[in-house]
Amino acid sequence: MKNVNLISSLSPCFFSNVRLSIGKVCSFVYLWLTRDPPRQYFIMNDLGIDVHTVVDWSSFCREVSLDWGLKNRKKLGGQNVTVEIDEAKIGKRKDNKGRLVKGQWVFGGVERENTANIFVVPVESRSQDCLLKVIKENILPGSRIVSDYWKSYDCLESEGFIHLKVNHSINFVDPGTGAHTQNIERAWREVRAKIPRYGRKQKHYSGYLAEFMFKRAFPKHLQRAHEFFKSAESLYPPLHL
């Protein structure tokens, strides 16, 4: 009943200028929320819509996820809280002609004590200035940060963080401190499995990662759908005549 009320309140603006029926839009949203890529041809066949409609509505759904992420953003860490950080390149592969396809650097962090608390963002580079800016935006001062030995992290102690490092060329867990980054590395496996492998555009990576974060926050499908329509209602407030 809650979802029905939300959909009704969205009707004046969320569904304005939409050529699909309300039922088909809701079906699309539910399929988008519950199926992982690749899903384009499945949705096309299941709903009887063309590829352009799927692409347009997928972009719209990612826009809702992005808005949800911005409005629900909170900093990780704090006193006696450990945040594992790492960077990864997503999408680097060879195409059908054997040419190397350029990937996208992404950077993220996850709380060890509560792995539901996580951030993942695309970054332009792995430079100290770039990564430190993201760290300060997403992690509270005084947090315990665990990383590998990438040189860009050498400044963290002087920036007010407790910093532990693990040398991955020697071991996965530092024998002296117990430092490891296994939780954020596990998150990279999830990211690679949950975002499109093909047809990805670099300018859309924020949307792909926002979709990943939204779905990760709401693992149960009905709750995920309910929260999506709540977020859509927030992004497109109902018209009051």
Side-chain angles (χ1 to χ4, degrees), residues 141-154:
S143 301
R144 184 188 301 109
I145 294 180
V146 183
S147 74
D148 59 19
Y149 269 70
W150 179 240
K151 60 185 179 181
S152 294
Y153 303 135
D154 291 343

Side-chain angles (χ1 to χ4, degrees), residues 214-229:
F214 182 84
K215 291 181 176 181
R216 196 176 190 275
F218 306 107
K220 294 183 179 180
H221 290 177
L222 288 179
Q223 182 191 22
R224 186 182 295 174
H226 178 67
E227 294 297 332
F228 178 89
F229 283 112

